[in-house]
Amino acid sequence: MSTGMASLTQAHFRVHTSTLRRVQSRSQGLLKSGKLFQLQGSAFPSIHINQPYICCTKLTPWESSPVTYAPTDNQSETFLQQSANIFEALETSKTAESSAENVEGVVETISQPGLQLQFFKWPLWLLGPSVLLATGMVPTLWLPISSIFLGPNIASLLSLIGLDFIFNLGATLFLLMADACSRPKYPTQDCKSKAPFSYQFWNVVATLTGFIIPLLMMFGSQKSFFQPQLPIISFAVLLGPYLLLLSVQFLTEMLTWHWQSPVWLVTPVIYESYRVLQLMRGLKLGVELSAPAWVMHTIRGLVCWWVLILGLQLMRVAWFAGLAARARKQQLSSDTSSAVVSD
């Protein structure tokens, strides 16, 4: 047995040495002839290279042996069946797995926070109107004017401004709660609501008209166009809080338009409702101040103007509600028709 193995090893070694001698003799012949390096008539000198050739069939200990993978009988039909390129097949499988994981994660994030936020929104439906009632109507209707108004002086003016500031604080809290309630059930849904340009234009016109009328009244009184004249402190007590709250309303409306909040439709309704009460309070104070008749008629004209604007705002709310109902009905009909076509 040992002699047979020795003879096989010697025969294998002779085959390798004979093959290497042939390759060496051919390469030396090409180098001596110089035909290998002839370029356009120029020849390089002959180069004689004597290199020993080593042939080893045994691998070193640190080299890994070649591994071949063969599919089993069950995997032979489905092995890399998607694409001829192995890298493309791996990429598509990874993409499919990652997309499936992302979809599962989105579904979990949508379902859980949406349900949690609904529990916090339910008390806001009662808390928001309660805050608006407590800060706006209760001080104006039940607080006696005599305890606030001490005469045409700075103290009375600051007291009236503080009373309107309490309402403004409650109105801001109410708008924040209304904005939170108007948000969709799932946080990933978009809820931006842009006010039409015509709506913004006519609101600005109404606000500027409410500014211009008192300023013209004060200018005419100072220039003696209207007789008898109205003192500056009396004018500030009667219409100073009105002008200040009108400025706050204009700023709030601009912010709701810029942020595209859904509460842009109810913001003027809240402030204009309180403005009617504010002007009615001015009529009571005008009687105590013995204001001229033209001042009282101007304040009554402002009351009528803002009641008219408030009615227009309520008609706009009804119009937008009908528009939203029609859009919802069209969406439901389109979804039903698409479902019938797909079936």
Side-chain angles (χ1 to χ4, degrees):
M1 187 70 177
S2 60
T3 55
M5 292 296 292
S7 62
L8 287 175
T9 305
Q10 291 177 2
H12 181 68
F13 181 76
R14 289 174 183 175
V15 170
H16 278 285
T17 52
S18 62
T19 305
L20 291 175
R21 287 175 182 175
R22 291 176 185 175
V23 174
Q24 183 178 7
S25 61
R26 290 179 183 177
S27 61
Q28 289 179 358
L30 289 173
L31 292 175
K32 287 180 180 179
S33 61
K35 293 180 180 180
L36 187 62
F37 299 98
Q38 289 180 358
L39 295 172
Q40 297 180 358
S42 63
F44 289 90
S46 300
I47 302 174
H48 299 280
I49 300 175
N50 293 324
Q51 294 181 351
Y53 290 88
I54 301 173
C55 181
C56 181
T57 58
K58 187 176 181 181
L59 296 175
T60 56
W62 57 82
E63 292 181 351
S64 59
S65 60
V67 180
T68 57
Y69 296 95
T72 60
D73 295 336
N74 297 329
Q75 297 176 350
S76 59
E77 297 180 357
T78 60
F79 182 70
L80 294 179
Q81 199 173 22
Q82 296 179 355
S83 174
N85 191 355
I86 185 173
F87 299 103
E88 184 179 354
L90 292 175
E91 287 293 331
T92 53
S93 62
K94 289 181 180 179
T95 306
E97 292 176 359
S98 61
S99 62
E101 292 177 357
N102 292 334
V103 168
E104 292 177 357
V106 169
V107 169
E108 291 179 357
T109 55
I110 285 176
S111 59
Q112 294 178 359
L115 295 176
Q116 293 176 359
L117 290 176
Q118 290 299 318
F119 292 103
F120 292 101
K121 287 183 180 180
W122 290 337
L124 298 180
W125 288 92
L126 184 61
L127 183 61
S130 301
V131 170
L132 189 63
L133 178 64
T135 58
M137 299 296 106
V138 172
T140 304
L141 296 177
W142 276 276
L143 190 64
I145 298 297
S146 59
S147 62
I148 299 175
F149 181 72
L150 302 176
N153 50 30
I154 302 297
S156 299
L157 178 62
L158 294 178
S159 300
L160 294 173
I161 291 176
L163 190 64
D164 294 339
F165 175 76
I166 294 174
F167 163 76
N168 184 45
L169 181 61
T172 304
L173 292 176
F174 172 79
L175 292 176
L176 291 175
M177 295 178 190
D179 181 79
C181 291
S182 63
R183 297 290 174 179
K185 182 177 181 181
Y186 301 116
T188 55
Q189 296 178 356
D190 192 10
C191 63
K192 291 184 178 181
S193 177
K194 186 177 181 181
F197 176 76
S198 60
Y199 177 87
Q200 298 179 11
F201 175 77
W202 290 114
N203 272 31
V204 171
V205 169
T207 304
L208 291 179
T209 304
F211 266 113
I212 290 173
I213 293 176
L215 294 179
L216 288 178
M217 185 177 68
M218 184 184 66
F219 180 78
S221 176
Q222 295 300 317
K223 295 296 181 180
S224 300
F225 293 151
F226 302 111
Q227 293 294 335
Q229 294 183 358
L230 182 67
I232 293 293
I233 187 63
S234 298
F235 173 82
V237 169
L238 291 176
L239 294 175
Y242 160 83
L243 294 174
L244 183 60
L245 194 62
L246 187 60
S247 304
V248 173
Q249 177 193 345
F250 184 71
L251 178 61
T252 305
E253 289 190 64
M254 295 292 290
L255 290 176
T256 55
W257 297 343
H258 177 69
W259 293 332
Q260 297 183 4
S261 175
V263 300
W264 59 266
L265 193 59
V266 298
T267 301
V269 175
I270 296 170
Y271 281 96
E272 289 164 7
S273 300
Y274 183 79
R275 183 162 298 114
V276 174
L277 295 176
Q278 192 180 31
L279 290 173
M280 296 298 292
R281 184 184 65 191
L283 288 174
K284 294 180 180 180
L285 294 176
V287 174
E288 296 187 11
L289 290 175
S290 300
W294 62 270
V295 175
M296 303 298 290
H297 289 306
T298 305
I299 296 177
R300 291 189 184 99
L302 287 174
V303 172
C304 296
W305 170 253
W306 285 114
V307 169
L308 177 65
I309 297 301
L310 179 60
L312 291 176
Q313 295 290 349
L314 293 176
M315 291 183 67
R316 286 175 179 174
V317 171
W319 184 80
F320 276 105
L323 183 64
R326 288 193 299 270
R328 190 181 299 109
K329 185 177 180 180
Q330 292 177 359
Q331 184 178 3
L332 290 175
S333 61
S334 62
D335 293 341
T336 305
S337 60
S338 62
V340 170
V341 170
S342 62
D343 292 340

